[in-house]
């Protein structure tokens, strides 16, 4: 009799249990071959069966060894529930099943803090779901035709001067308006930015698919969507091409990849759409960036100029310990690097101090801050400690509203554009989320996790997959393994993103038309009502029951 140890791990302890039906299995080996986690293996099952092979009943007991598929129980080869085994099985003989009696949150931490990607498992109740569009123009103020009316759907990226300051920089000479002084650069773009996901966090093929979608939307669909490069640099050929105008170059605290960017500056044919200084992100604020060594492939080492090792970005930019220093040093140096032609924005995690940061940026005497990006706790991440994902951060909606009202109280609204993200499109409808955020004060939104879901990501907020940090993404989206990245079809992925953005554009118009707005309804909170009294009181909008 086999000895039993109370500390042994068996499938019932894990988050997912592999269900295998030997009677339907032909042992083709497809499931074992495709499993990115190496969570299953071929094994032999010893069993006794009673059979009768003659025309008359003559039971005979036989001892057989039957081949089966068995789940591994060691923590290094956990099943993440991606379902690829069921996807490739020709007979439906195997599938993962969620285990309600798991105890992995306890036993997993015996080997140290749990690290994973995706989104938080907690905090999935969203404020946006308690808000609806309540002001509909009817007889008193006719609504617009969303199909035939012309809408001005553009948002600023760059410092917008008030009319009194702009007049001092302009003069009329010989009947023409002439700029006599320096005005901050402003790019008017579509109110949707593809958020920063680096080459490294994403596979090269996945990053290429998102970049192709951004270029196609600009050149073929006349939608000036911009894409943030993420920390870690960009391909030199892209920086030297005219497609650079569609990209926002990001610099984070690790400064990875900026050696190549600086060297490429003299050969840039066009300016980038902007520069984004990342102070923090909403999913893991205060942690800095993290790229595990398993994802630092040779081409990532070349782009970032680093050896193969886990790459940590510090939680803050070294030497910048206050908002004033950030404005004076970082903003000024990056503006100067591009000849004061490119707007420079800053990205912070939503927190109790967001309004303080925004107020200081509004008082920037150099007028060089080109945007304030706020990222909420429900944003995604490629690698973070689970405790940070679940318990650190702030929902973005209330902080966005607080920042906008702080600017309104000073008469400075609209001067430094507000961009918000973190859970946008969590329920699948990014247009509705974007419209509500715009009405609460945002000039536009940025999305990240939504894009990789369009590329085929199967991770969700209920613990399925979210294995981005290991480099074993079954779809090849967040992996550098050539065997896995080959599964991603770049062209189909780019087409899926393009189709979604076109639907986003149509749905955004269908929300703007009923309230009678031809341009983005920034700050039009009168168009919204809340079905929750606490939400209505906090955001200062009407309550409807």
């Amino acid at each position: 009799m086999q000895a039993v140890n109370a500390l042994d791990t068996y499938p019932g302890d894990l988050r997912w249990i592999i269900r295998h039906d030997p009677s339907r299995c032909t042992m083709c080996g497809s499931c074992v071959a495709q499993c990115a986690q190496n969570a299953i293996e071929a094994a032999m099952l010893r069993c006794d069966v009673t059979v009768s092979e003659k025309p008359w009943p003559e039971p005979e007991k036989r001892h057989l060894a039957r081949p089966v598929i068995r789940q591994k129980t060691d923590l290094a080869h956990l099943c993440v529930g991606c379902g690829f085994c069921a996807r490739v099985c020709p007979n439906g003989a195997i599938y993962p099943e969620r285990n309600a009696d798991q105890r992995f949150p306890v036993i997993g931490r015996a080997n140290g803090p749990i690290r994973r990607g995706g989104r938080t498992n907690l905090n999935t109740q969203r404020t946006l779901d308690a808000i609806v569009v309540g002001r509909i123009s009817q007889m008193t103020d006719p609504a617009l035709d969303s199909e035939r009316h012309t809408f001005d759907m553009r948002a600023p990226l760059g410092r917008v001067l008030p009319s009194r300051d702009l007049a001092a920089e302009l003069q009329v000479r010989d009947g023409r308006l002439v700029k006599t002084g320096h005005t901050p650069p402003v790019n008017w773009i579509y109110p949707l930015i593809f958020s920063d996901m680096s080459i490294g966090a994403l596979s090269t093929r996945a990053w290429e698919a998102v970049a192709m979608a951004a270029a196609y939307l600009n050149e073929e669909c006349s939608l000036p969507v911009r894409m943030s490069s993420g920390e870690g640099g960009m391909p030199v050929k892209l920086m030297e091409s005219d497609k650079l105008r569609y990209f926002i170059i990001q610099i984070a605290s690790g400064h990875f990849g900026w050696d190549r960017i600086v060297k490429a500056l003299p050969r840039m044919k066009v300016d980038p759409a902007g520069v984004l200084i990342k102070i923090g992100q909403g999913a893991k604020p205060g942690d800095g960036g993290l790229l595990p060594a398993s994802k630092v492939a040779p081409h990532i080492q070349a782009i970032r100029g680093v050896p193969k090792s886990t790459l940590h970005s510090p939680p803050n930019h070294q030497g910048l310990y206050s908002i004033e220093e950030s404005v004076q040093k970082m903003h000024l140096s990056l503006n100067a690097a591009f000849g004061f032609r490119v707007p420079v924005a800053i990205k912070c995690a939503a927190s109790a101090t967001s309004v303080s940061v925004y107020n200081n940026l509004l008082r920037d005497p150099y007028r060089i801050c080109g945007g304030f990006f706020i990222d909420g706790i429900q944003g995604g991440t490629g690698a973070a400690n689970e405790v940070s994902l679940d318990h650190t951060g702030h929902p973005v909606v209330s902080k966005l509203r607080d920042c906008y009202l702080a600017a309104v109280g000073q008469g400075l609204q609209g001067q430094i554009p507000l961009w918000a993200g973190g859970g946008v499109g969590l329920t699948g409808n990014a247009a509705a989320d974007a419209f509500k955020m715009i009405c609460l004060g945002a000039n536009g939104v940025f999305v990240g996790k939504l894009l990789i879901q369009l590329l085929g990501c199967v991770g969700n907020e209920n613990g399925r997959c979210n294995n981005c940090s290991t480099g074993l993404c079954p779809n090849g989206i967040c992996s550098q393994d050539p065997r896995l990245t080959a599964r991603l079809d770049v062209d189909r992925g780019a087409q899926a993103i393009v189709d979604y953005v076109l639907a986003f554009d149509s749905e955004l118009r269908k929300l703007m038309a009923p309230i009678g707005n031809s341009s983005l309804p920034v700050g039009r909170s009168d168009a919204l009502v809340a079905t929750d009294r606490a939400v209505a009181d906090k955001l200062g909008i009407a309550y409807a029951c």
Side-chain angles (χ1 to χ4, degrees):
M1 183 176 179
Q2 185 175 354
V4 177
N5 191 316
L7 296 179
D8 289 342
T9 304
Y10 83 111
D13 294 329
L14 308 180
R15 285 172 171 162
W16 297 88
I17 298 176
I18 298 294
R19 299 299 186 188
H20 175 245
D21 185 355
S23 65
R24 304 183 67 175
C25 180
T26 60
M27 295 301 292
C28 65
S30 297
C31 56
V32 175
Q34 68 74 42
C35 183
Q37 319 304 323
N38 196 21
I40 52 179
E41 61 184 351
M44 300 301 294
L45 175 67
R46 294 175 297 176
C47 56
D48 289 328
V49 295
T50 302
V51 297
S52 177
E53 295 179 347
K54 296 184 179 180
W56 57 88
E58 190 172 305
E60 180 182 355
K61 189 175 182 180
R62 293 182 182 177
H63 179 76
L64 298 177
R66 175 179 293 179
V68 294
I69 302 299
R70 184 169 60 193
Q71 179 179 1
K72 297 180 181 179
T73 58
D74 58 299
L75 300 185
H77 301 96
L78 291 176
C79 173
V80 296
C82 67
F84 267 72
C85 54
R87 190 177 297 188
V88 300
C89 182
N91 300 321
I94 189 170
Y95 64 94
E97 182 179 272
R98 191 183 300 275
N99 180 16
D101 296 323
Q102 58 148 326
R103 58 189 198 96
F104 177 76
V106 176
I107 62 175
R109 284 180 172 81
N111 293 331
I114 296 175
R115 181 178 293 158
R116 63 177 179 82
R119 281 198 177 109
T120 173
N121 284 335
L122 306 178
N123 309 306
T124 52
Q125 294 182 344
R126 305 187 316 157
T127 304
L128 290 173
D129 297 330
I131 302 174
V132 294
V133 181
R135 186 193 183 282
I136 310 300
S137 300
Q138 297 181 71
M139 296 299 291
T140 56
D141 186 10
L144 305 175
D145 189 329
S146 64
E147 299 295 335
R148 291 175 289 187
H149 187 77
T150 300
F151 292 87
D152 179 20
M153 300 174 66
R154 297 293 182 268
L157 179 60
R159 184 65 178 258
V160 180
L161 294 182
S163 56
R164 62 180 181 275
D165 293 343
L166 192 59
E169 309 289 348
L170 302 172
Q171 289 184 4
V172 177
R173 295 178 181 174
D174 299 328
R176 300 178 61 186
L177 195 62
V178 179
K179 187 169 71 170
T180 58
H182 173 74
T183 57
V186 180
N187 289 326
W188 290 87
I189 63 177
Y190 195 72
L192 178 70
I193 290 177
F194 294 165
S195 189
D196 30 286
M197 296 180 289
S198 68
I199 302 177
L202 297 185
S203 67
T204 306
R205 292 172 66 87
W207 199 92
E208 180 185 357
V210 180
M212 285 175 57
Y216 187 91
L217 287 165
N218 279 272
E219 297 179 357
E220 301 295 333
C221 306
S222 299
L223 293 180
V225 176
R226 297 295 181 261
M227 173 183 172
S228 176
S229 67
E231 180 183 17
M234 298 171 64
V236 173
K237 290 295 184 182
L238 177 57
M239 290 189 287
E240 296 177 357
S241 74
D242 58 358
K243 301 295 188 293
L244 182 62
R245 63 169 65 97
Y246 308 139
F247 292 84
I248 300 170
I249 301 178
Q250 184 186 92
I251 180 170
S253 55
H255 296 187
F256 293 118
W258 266 80
D259 182 55
R260 286 162 60 104
I261 293 174
V262 171
K263 290 180 179 178
L265 278 173
R267 301 189 300 275
M268 289 182 180
K269 298 178 182 178
V270 296
D271 290 327
V275 176
L276 182 62
I277 305 170
K278 191 193 86 168
I279 303 297
Q281 67 183 72
K284 52 178 185 209
D287 267 0
L290 174 66
L291 188 67
S294 59
K295 299 175 73 170
V296 185
H299 65 284
I300 305 301
Q301 298 172 39
I303 291 178
R304 300 196 177 201
V306 294
K308 184 174 180 62
S309 62
T310 296
L311 304 179
H312 288 276
S313 294
N316 61 331
H317 289 262
Q318 300 303 298
L320 302 179
Y321 295 101
S322 71
I323 304 165
E324 292 77 10
E325 284 184 327
S326 177
V327 170
Q328 293 175 4
K329 295 181 181 177
M330 184 72 75
H331 276 84
L332 198 56
S333 61
L334 289 173
N335 270 277
F338 290 92
F340 294 89
R341 301 183 306 270
V342 177
V344 179
I346 187 170
K347 178 181 179 182
C348 294
S351 74
T353 61
S354 295
V355 177
S356 300
V357 176
Y358 191 53
N359 279 332
N360 277 273
L361 295 174
L362 286 169
R363 291 191 287 270
D364 165 26
Y366 304 100
R367 301 185 304 187
I368 55 176
C369 181
F372 187 51
F373 286 60
I374 315 176
D375 194 12
I377 189 175
Q378 291 169 334
T381 176
N385 286 322
E386 194 172 73
V387 67
S388 297
L389 275 169
D390 289 346
H391 301 286
T392 309
H394 200 295
V396 70
V397 176
S398 61
K399 289 297 104 182
L400 163 66
R401 186 65 175 158
D402 289 346
C403 287
Y404 178 75
L405 293 179
V408 170
Q410 303 170 66
L412 302 177
Q413 69 272 22
Q415 293 193 28
I416 296 182
L418 280 167
W419 290 78
V424 174
L426 182 62
T427 59
N429 195 331
D433 294 346
F435 181 82
K436 295 171 187 177
M437 284 193 172
I438 290 171
C439 287
L440 291 171
N443 292 93
V445 299
F446 51 93
V447 297
K449 178 69 182 290
L450 178 65
L451 300 177
I452 65 172
Q453 287 177 317
L454 290 167
L455 293 178
C457 172
V458 297
N460 62 22
E461 285 62 62
N462 296 316
R464 186 185 185 195
C465 200
N466 294 340
N467 213 33
C468 323
S469 62
T470 64
L472 298 175
C473 170
N475 274 296
I477 299 170
C478 298
S479 171
Q480 307 302 333
D481 186 338
R483 180 178 69 90
L484 300 174
T485 57
R487 299 176 180 180
L488 179 62
D489 188 323
V490 175
D491 293 333
R492 285 185 62 187
Q495 186 64 54
I497 295 174
V498 168
D499 291 342
Y500 187 92
V501 174
L502 293 178
F504 175 97
D505 183 68
S506 177
E507 291 183 344
L508 194 57
R509 294 168 190 265
K510 289 182 180 298
L511 291 170
M512 291 170 60
I515 68 169
N517 255 60
S518 297
S519 58
L520 293 177
V522 179
R524 278 208 57 186
S525 58
D526 65 302
L528 305 177
V529 297
T531 56
D532 183 287
R533 174 71 74 178
V535 170
D537 293 342
K538 172 60 181 174
L539 301 180
I541 60 179
Y543 168 67
C545 59

